[in-house]
Amino acid sequence: MARILTGIQSSGRQHLGNILGAILPAIELANEPSNDAYLFIADLHSLTTVKDATARRENLLTTAAAWLACGLDVNKVVFYAQSDLPECTELTWYLNCFTPFPMLANAHSFKDKAAKLADVNAGLFDYPVLMASDILLYDADIVPVGKDQKQHLEMTRDIAKALNHQTGQPVLVVPEPRIDSSVMTIPGIDGKKMSKSYGNVIDIFLPEKQLKNQVMSINTDSKTLDEVKDPDSCTVVQLYALLATADDLAEMQANYRSGGYGYGHAKKALLDLLLSRFADERKRFDHFMANPEAVHAALKVGADRARPVAKATLARVREALGY
Ligand code: ADP
Ligand code: TRP
């Protein structure tokens, strides 16, 4: 049984791009019976950028609620908040002392910001080591990540090997990255990649009226109702295609090509599809947001399962280092 582990940034409300591009595939992978899956919310990493306590609590709650609402089963997946296991920060210190300074100075995540060094805190510089600690603490075999995280995984492997080499013992499991380059990019309402930072999201957890406003504001060209339209270049169709049956999609495409079918009609069809496809998820999300204690209880189940593993790794490391 392979232990699969990955971290989730707690960057706030999860949009359709996060759900289709990250949450649902991760839950599917975690549910494979041959996998022993660990999924955690990286809320210690968030302190490198988010300093406000209220925002942090809110982000943890909405992120965890979205994952739970999308069907994450805490009996199958070890699901926890990084900050509930302070063993991670202790291991980070030991790993820091096996991490060459130039390795961190070379990290893309740091180099991107190095032009304005005054804005860089030591936590941001050390981000890859905290990430290595997340992975090594739980003896992860496989770490599914996006391309942008590949370098961090290489560092994790180097740090683990350096500690193992120094102590002469296989104290830490050296993990393998799993980079999925086939993940599709979900377009936002302006046709560019959907992202929180572009303000172009579709948030399926919004109340119906607000969700409708988002869908109705998807950019289209200005063809009139009667004109023939191109389904292939239309964001509404692209979004519809992600969720519709083949027959429903073909019908919409035919309607575009025949004319007499307006963008308003297509948007209404997309809205109805979102509401029906995600009806259960929306209900569960509302339930969790109204009952934050249920979310915290779910995270505690995961933390209680993760803790013995973390403690065992830390004990091995401390022993091997002479503490
Ligand atoms: P955002 O761009 O909104 O800040 P993140 O960078 O926090 O989103 O991404 C969290 C996860 O969601 C990552 O695994 C990322 O690959 C996935 N993701 C984000 N936006 C999209 C998108 N538009 N299409 C597909 N996957 C996405
Ligand atoms: N750095 C990752 C990201 O930005 C999140 C993360 C933190 C992570 N710790 C991890 C991912 C451990 C995989 C394993 O997406």
Side-chain angles (χ1 to χ4, degrees):
M1 211 176 193
R3 178 159 301 159
I4 309 247
L5 173 145
T6 198
I8 303 152
Q9 293 189 47
S10 44
S11 47
R13 293 183 66 97
Q14 305 292 297
H15 50 73
L16 186 65
N18 299 141
I19 291 169
L20 298 179
I23 299 183
L24 295 180
I27 292 177
E28 199 175 315
L29 186 69
N31 282 344
E32 279 174 27
S34 58
N35 290 337
D36 167 26
Y38 280 52
L39 283 176
F40 68 93
I41 300 186
D43 62 342
L44 291 174
H45 277 106
S46 80
L47 186 57
T48 60
T49 50
V50 178
K51 310 294 180 191
D52 182 66
T54 308
R56 186 170 349 277
R57 277 187 211 109
E58 189 67 25
N59 285 348
L60 177 71
L61 178 64
T62 50
T63 306
W67 280 78
L68 292 167
C70 286
L72 184 143
D73 177 350
V74 296
N75 297 311
K76 287 196 189 137
V77 182
V78 182
F79 181 57
Y80 54 99
Q82 186 188 27
S83 62
D84 280 338
L85 292 126
E87 288 80 0
C88 176
T89 51
E90 183 177 341
L91 181 62
T92 301
W93 175 252
Y94 304 138
L95 300 180
N96 267 329
C97 299
F98 289 86
T99 306
F101 178 91
M103 186 199 275
L104 291 182
N106 256 327
H108 303 309
S109 52
F110 166 69
K111 275 213 238 162
D112 290 350
K113 312 217 160 75
K116 272 185 89 185
L117 270 185
D119 292 346
V120 175
N121 57 65
L124 193 82
F125 186 67
D126 204 37
Y127 184 110
V129 186
L130 182 60
M131 180 160 161
S133 176
D134 291 330
I135 297 168
L136 300 173
L137 189 59
Y138 301 102
D139 299 331
D141 300 305
I142 297 169
V143 183
V145 284
K147 281 197 290 289
D148 60 324
Q149 299 296 316
K150 189 165 172 251
Q151 191 192 30
H152 288 152
L153 258 294
E154 283 159 6
M155 293 181 183
T156 301
R157 289 170 55 85
D158 286 349
I159 296 168
K161 286 182 198 159
L163 190 141
N164 287 349
H165 179 76
Q166 167 64 39
T167 59
Q169 304 167 37
V171 185
L172 298 170
V173 175
V174 181
E176 296 290 336
R178 182 186 292 174
I179 315 277
D180 190 354
S181 46
S182 70
V183 224
M184 52 189 170
T185 301
I186 315 294
I189 58 172
D190 57 359
K192 288 196 241 125
K193 175 187 187 282
M194 189 180 293
S195 170
K196 287 180 266 299
S197 42
Y198 302 153
N200 64 353
V201 306
I202 290 183
D203 180 346
I204 60 129
F205 295 122
L206 282 176
E208 185 169 335
K209 210 166 151 204
Q210 284 163 267
L211 178 59
K212 180 175 179 194
N213 286 341
Q214 279 184 346
V215 173
M216 291 303 157
S217 54
I218 297 172
N219 285 359
T220 58
D221 59 32
S222 50
K223 290 208 169 78
T224 61
L225 187 129
D226 290 332
E227 280 178 276
V228 166
K229 302 175 181 66
D230 175 19
D232 300 330
S233 61
C234 179
T235 307
V236 184
V237 182
Q238 283 160 13
L239 289 168
Y240 192 72
L242 297 168
L243 301 166
T245 62
D247 285 351
D248 288 347
L249 174 62
E251 191 183 327
M252 183 180 278
Q253 288 166 328
N255 285 335
Y256 267 63
R257 293 193 180 103
S258 64
Y261 182 85
Y263 290 119
H265 294 125
K267 289 176 181 176
K268 177 73 176 55
L270 174 61
L271 175 67
D272 289 343
L273 182 57
L274 289 170
L275 288 171
S276 62
R277 165 61 184 83
F278 293 112
D280 292 343
E281 286 79 357
R282 288 165 54 78
K283 247 185 255 150
R284 285 195 291 258
F285 184 79
D286 289 344
H287 166 78
F288 284 123
M289 292 308 285
N291 299 280
E293 66 288 350
V295 175
H296 294 296
L299 290 170
K300 186 171 182 303
V301 171
D304 288 344
R305 285 175 67 193
R307 194 166 297 110
V309 181
K311 288 208 180 299
T313 306
L314 210 46
R316 281 197 319 269
V317 173
R318 291 176 60 97
E319 163 73 25
L321 295 176
Y323 289 107

